[in-house]
Amino acid sequence: MRKFIITLILLLIIPSAIHAEEDLQSIIIEVEGDPSEHKEYIEAYHPFIEVVAVYDTLFNGLALQGSPANLEKMESLEFIKSIHTVQQYEALEWSSATQRYGSFSWNSANSEIEQAIQPNDINTTQYTGKGVKVGVIDTGIDYEHPDLKNNYQSGYDLVDLDDDPMESLPEQGVPTSHGTHVAGIIAADGDIKGVAPDAQIYSYRALGPGGAGTSVQVIAAMEKAIEDEVDVINLSLGNNVNVPDYPTSMAVNRASEMGITVVIANGNSGPDDWTVGSPATADQALSVGASTMPMQVPFLYDTLEDKSIQLSEMIGSPSWEIIRSNQLIEAEAGTDVSLSGKIALIQRGRIPFYELAKTAEEKGAIAAVIYNNEDGPFQGSVDNEKDPLNIPVATVSKEDGEWLKTQASKQPFYIETSYLDQGSTTAPFSSRGPVTVNWNIKPDVLAPGTAIWSTVPGGYQQMDGTSMAAPHVTGAVALIKEAHPEWTREQIIGALKTTADHLKEQDASIPTIQGMGEIQPKAAIDTATIIHNPQLNLGMVDNYREELRYELEIENMTGESQTYSFTYPKKKKGLSWDIPASFTLEANEKRSIPITLNVTTTRLEEGVHQDWLTLNQEGQKYHLPYIFVNQHADQPKTAGFEFTLKGFSDDVYHYSIYTTEPARRMEVDLYNPESLQFERKLLESEELETGLHEGEITKKEAGKSGYYLAIVTVYLEDGSYETNQSLIYIE
């Protein structure tokens, strides 16, 4: 018999909900070779271990269940190569730790329904996604929901390893609703309509109670979706590992090579750069950021200083609708001051936002402004279903808050409210690119991701997040697939990118905020041109003068010739473009158009450079983002530090960490998480190349048990260093 190398991966150690024994555990083994032969071997020689599922496409292996004692016996088998840790993934609803809006009954009339975005709003086509199979990998689905039960076809539960992908119920732990909300955005067909209300839904529960799961579950769920021959997969989940070659990202790329369109939420860690996480970092993923709906934005306006301060209304707050000048007064927490008829100015601190605002309301304030206690903007919630606020609450930055505090301390300070009509923008929480190591522009596109009204178990709910943006794109893919069943995956994605609406309400010089812009399904279906690779990643320059080349692939989708021309970019120091003035594509012709950028490194600042090229065609403008790195990028140097017990014996710890560029040395030091006192050095490695680094240490080497703050320090080749931290537990 052929000898196979098997990698044993811990999937999830939880009591099985479908077996009488309470001590059963679930694992997945990855194999080289035919997993069906391994199934026969295990069933023959390990009768007390149940083979629950076989995976043979993206994930080559088996799902097993058994008692800890029986599973531990497998460690002695010769074909076991190693045991790998797995990354945690979570549903990407923004601020998902707290429910900001309650569920509503089937026919509830609520003001939030009127304010929320209905998923079908973006579908201005005649298509409904009929006949298109959509795989939703998430927390499961309430397949009994009246708006979903007709479109639900089947699914699989990768948490409990059975055929019932129902959302987590209270008796299983923290209940979930995320997958049902995502599925409703795609294909609800009842009181609300999804983007593609006739699409067929296949649900795969890869995230368990509380919306958490592992990379193995996610990959295995993708395997099942491909087995069911879905046309498009939606992954509204992710983590904070910003590297292009993480296992889930590689699985996404393999699925894409098989012709499956994989749509992934970009993440909710914005507004900083480099915050996109795996698997949205995958080269072939259609990664989606969240856009806001057009709105009327309130500003505080001081007429004497001619100064405007934008307000960001908090979740759960009544709308800011103040129309006259009002006194603004500082209201420090704990102080007894009358706020009758005034706007309360409050600094963010340890007290929950709702309590700060409720106290201001009880003291007579007509509104509250909470300013940050650290640099940058912030968002938050004052939602309280039992006792909602009656006054509007908004946030401002630390800088603006301190300015207001200074003005209010001098004399009675009156300030007006003004309003500005604002179009769609990128939501502040939406994660930004680029991807580390290869500097790809992410997100690829935007879609509505704030105030989205959709299905949840027992009713409907409004949610925010890139989790809500991704299914809008998945639904759009279903519409295009129905309209053009002959189109390839590349043509579908290319059409969505080519026709995306370039947002101008924000800094248009930053492609990694919006990608190609906000999707327009009808324009994508009707497009006369497809640009297959419109995001120009030009790479890195190291030499004094370097030539960067890119082949732009353009397809004429009409039966007539079409002529295109570039708007020549504005001159910038150190940059010189060589692009064709104009060119013509014959009917249905597809051609690569060479673009060259000459860079003189000494005339440019080091770091990431990005902007836009404009391609014109008969009145149509296509905005093409480009990016390149001059010598060095300010990317995070490490990602994804994991430290866990290796396996069932509990004697050895396995660690893994990514470095995004070569490093001379890496150290991991342990500190007391409360006193921050140094305890001991845990790890040290020399001469690290770019990529994943793994190793093992014994329990004795790990030292005294307890929780520790692990400070990871990476010393780079140029003499600089970077640190980050994570909380670990040593048993």
Side-chain angles (χ1 to χ4, degrees):
M1 180 178 176
R2 210 159 26 131
K3 183 177 180 181
F4 299 94
I5 299 175
I6 299 182
T7 301
L8 187 63
I9 301 182
L10 180 64
L11 172 60
L12 193 62
I13 302 179
I14 56 172
S16 171
I18 60 172
H19 289 266
E21 297 180 53
E22 294 185 354
D23 61 348
L24 291 182
Q25 296 180 355
S26 302
I27 64 170
I28 283 185
I29 60 173
E30 184 182 11
V31 305
E32 288 186 6
D34 185 352
S36 296
E37 293 186 22
H38 292 286
K39 176 178 181 292
E40 295 175 1
Y41 174 83
I42 291 172
E43 289 177 339
Y45 294 98
H46 296 273
F48 296 105
I49 293 177
E50 179 185 2
V51 179
V52 180
V54 177
Y55 309 120
D56 58 10
T57 308
L58 299 180
F59 186 87
N60 198 55
L62 307 168
L64 309 175
Q65 279 188 330
S67 69
N70 285 323
L71 290 174
E72 186 173 341
K73 293 176 183 177
M74 298 192 69
E75 284 192 321
S76 63
L77 297 177
E78 292 183 359
F79 49 65
I80 299 282
K81 182 180 179 182
S82 62
I83 300 174
H84 294 280
T85 61
V86 292
Q87 273 283 341
Q88 293 294 313
Y89 283 80
E90 61 181 10
L92 291 177
E93 177 199 355
W94 182 68
S95 192
S96 59
T98 57
Q99 283 202 354
R100 299 182 305 285
Y101 298 97
S103 299
F104 298 97
S105 61
W106 303 120
N107 298 308
S108 172
N110 189 287
S111 60
E112 289 177 7
I113 300 176
E114 298 175 2
Q115 297 170 7
I117 296 176
Q118 304 292 326
N120 198 249
D121 288 350
I122 71 166
N123 184 359
T124 58
T125 77
Q126 62 181 319
Y127 301 102
T128 60
K130 187 174 180 61
V132 180
K133 300 170 70 173
V134 178
V136 179
I137 297 175
D138 213 288
T139 60
I141 182 176
D142 178 8
Y143 45 75
E144 296 176 347
H145 195 292
D147 289 20
L148 295 173
K149 64 181 181 180
N150 291 333
N151 289 7
Y152 172 74
Q153 303 297 308
S154 68
Y156 194 79
D157 185 337
L158 281 303
V159 177
D160 293 334
L161 301 176
D162 58 38
D163 294 325
D164 184 10
M166 177 60 77
E167 295 268 14
S168 293
L169 302 174
E171 56 266 29
Q172 296 173 296
V174 179
T176 58
S177 59
H178 189 271
T180 302
H181 198 274
V182 167
I185 294 171
I186 298 169
D189 189 18
D191 284 353
I192 66 169
K193 298 288 185 182
V195 177
D198 286 332
Q200 300 172 11
I201 293 293
Y202 292 76
S203 173
Y204 307 94
R205 182 175 176 248
L207 307 179
T214 69
S215 54
V216 174
Q217 291 165 297
V218 172
I219 295 171
M222 292 176 63
E223 171 88 12
K224 293 292 291 183
I226 290 174
E227 181 182 317
D228 290 335
E229 299 182 339
V230 301
D231 299 300
V232 54
I233 294 173
N234 188 96
L235 289 163
S236 287
L237 50 82
N239 63 20
N240 61 357
V241 182
N242 182 356
V243 291
D245 59 348
Y246 201 72
T248 45
S249 299
M250 292 187 286
V252 167
N253 288 336
R254 288 195 291 270
S256 300
E257 290 165 3
M258 299 173 67
I260 310 298
T261 303
V262 186
V263 181
I264 305 177
N266 211 54
N268 300 332
S269 300
D272 292 337
D273 295 338
W274 309 102
T275 50
V276 58
S278 173
T281 54
D283 291 346
Q284 302 300 317
L286 184 52
S287 304
V288 185
S291 61
T292 65
M293 61 189 298
M295 65 185 74
Q296 193 175 63
V297 180
F299 286 78
L300 294 179
Y301 179 64
D302 181 13
T303 55
L304 294 176
E305 297 287 339
D306 191 25
K307 182 177 178 64
S308 295
I309 296 175
Q310 182 175 336
L311 299 174
S312 178
E313 295 173 278
M314 298 193 83
I315 301 297
S317 161
S319 296
W320 192 285
E321 296 177 349
I322 297 173
I323 58 175
R324 61 183 179 83
S325 179
N326 291 275
Q327 185 179 354
L328 181 141
I329 185 171
E330 184 182 9
E332 293 183 5
T335 59
D336 188 16
V337 58
S338 173
L339 300 174
S340 180
K342 301 177 178 65
I343 298 174
L345 177 67
I346 310 167
Q347 185 179 40
R348 178 185 185 183
R350 294 180 177 273
I351 300 174
F353 297 135
Y354 172 81
E355 292 183 24
L356 291 174
K358 190 64 177 177
T359 299
E361 178 185 302
E362 290 171 349
K363 292 181 178 180
I366 61 169
V369 175
I370 301 176
Y371 67 97
N372 209 351
N373 56 3
E374 56 186 40
D375 292 338
F378 75 104
Q379 291 186 322
S381 170
V382 291
D383 183 57
N384 187 306
E385 199 173 338
K386 295 181 179 179
D387 186 17
L389 291 171
N390 297 307
I391 64 171
V393 185
T395 71
V396 298
S397 68
K398 179 182 179 182
E399 179 183 3
D400 287 336
E402 290 177 344
W403 185 89
L404 290 170
K405 177 181 177 180
T406 300
Q407 304 306 308
S409 66
K410 295 177 181 178
Q411 56 189 358
F413 176 58
Y414 287 81
I415 195 161
E416 297 179 357
T417 298
S418 60
Y419 297 88
L420 176 67
D421 290 330
Q422 186 179 72
S424 293
T425 66
T426 303
F429 59 75
S430 186
S431 291
R432 271 69 161 159
V435 179
T436 63
V437 182
N438 65 15
W439 314 293
N440 278 342
I441 294 171
K442 295 288 182 176
D444 296 295
V445 292
L446 300 176
T450 59
I452 308 301
W453 188 254
S454 186
T455 49
V456 293
Y460 305 90
Q461 189 172 320
Q462 181 173 290
M463 293 186 186
D464 310 88
T466 55
S467 274
M468 287 63 250
H472 279 85
V473 176
T474 297
V477 170
L479 302 179
I480 299 171
K481 187 75 175 175
E482 180 192 0
H484 298 288
E486 76 287 358
W487 277 13
T488 64
R489 166 197 164 276
E490 290 75 18
Q491 287 174 313
I492 292 172
I493 291 177
L496 277 169
K497 289 183 179 182
T498 302
T499 58
D501 183 24
H502 177 72
L503 301 187
K504 303 175 182 64
E505 294 290 338
Q506 57 192 27
D507 190 345
S509 68
I510 307 178
T512 49
I513 289 180
Q514 65 168 292
M516 294 297 296
E518 192 170 39
I519 63 165
Q520 301 183 98
K522 188 175 189 305
I525 288 171
D526 297 337
T527 187
T529 297
I530 291 179
I531 307 172
H532 287 272
N533 54 343
Q535 294 145 275
L536 285 67
N537 184 345
L538 299 169
M540 175 183 276
V541 292
D542 283 319
N543 302 317
Y544 169 71
R545 184 169 294 161
E546 199 160 336
E547 186 177 83
L548 305 177
R549 300 184 180 214
Y550 192 84
E551 294 288 329
L552 190 66
E553 196 170 89
I554 302 177
E555 185 173 7
N556 178 1
M557 302 302 293
T558 73
E560 301 176 351
S561 63
Q562 294 194 106
T563 298
Y564 303 81
S565 65
F566 280 97
T567 299
Y568 198 81
K570 293 180 180 179
K571 288 190 175 182
K572 293 184 178 181
K573 286 195 307 183
L575 302 183
S576 175
W577 291 92
D578 183 8
I579 54 180
S582 66
F583 56 93
T584 299
L585 296 184
E586 299 303 323
N588 303 117
E589 182 185 1
K590 182 179 179 182
R591 190 196 306 175
S592 291
I593 306 300
I595 294 175
T596 302
L597 175 61
N598 294 287
V599 180
T600 304
T601 58
T602 56
R603 302 187 65 191
L604 290 172
E605 291 184 1
E606 291 187 5
V608 175
H609 293 261
Q610 50 183 323
D611 212 324
W612 306 84
L613 296 179
T614 302
L615 179 66
N616 309 289
Q617 194 273 317
E618 293 186 2
Q620 178 71 46
K621 292 184 180 295
Y622 302 106
H623 299 280
L624 313 180
Y626 70 82
I627 189 170
F628 70 91
V629 176
N630 183 19
Q631 301 177 71
H632 298 285
D634 60 348
Q635 62 186 357
K637 311 308 179 193
T638 64
F641 177 64
E642 290 286 311
F643 186 81
T644 57
L645 284 170
K646 178 181 176 182
F648 306 110
S649 62
D650 293 347
D651 289 330
V652 177
Y653 284 93
H654 178 276
Y655 67 87
S656 63
I657 189 170
Y658 275 86
T659 56
T660 61
E661 57 185 75
R664 290 188 294 107
R665 190 169 81 256
M666 178 196 73
E667 297 176 351
V668 180
D669 296 315
L670 299 184
Y671 289 78
N672 184 304
E674 295 182 358
S675 67
L676 300 183
Q677 180 179 352
F678 174 76
E679 296 283 348
R680 61 186 179 274
K681 187 177 296 296
L682 179 67
L683 300 168
E684 185 172 14
S685 298
E686 303 282 344
E687 302 301 328
L688 292 84
E689 297 297 323
T690 299
L692 175 65
H693 303 277
E694 299 179 284
E696 297 173 358
I697 64 173
T698 65
K699 202 168 184 180
K700 182 178 179 181
E701 292 170 325
K704 184 180 177 181
S705 65
Y707 283 98
Y708 293 92
L709 186 65
I711 304 296
V712 182
T713 306
V714 175
Y715 297 89
L716 305 174
E717 300 288 354
D718 63 2
S720 64
Y721 67 92
E722 179 181 285
T723 63
N724 58 49
Q725 62 188 41
S726 61
L727 190 67
I728 66 171
Y729 181 70
I730 296 176
E731 293 191 5

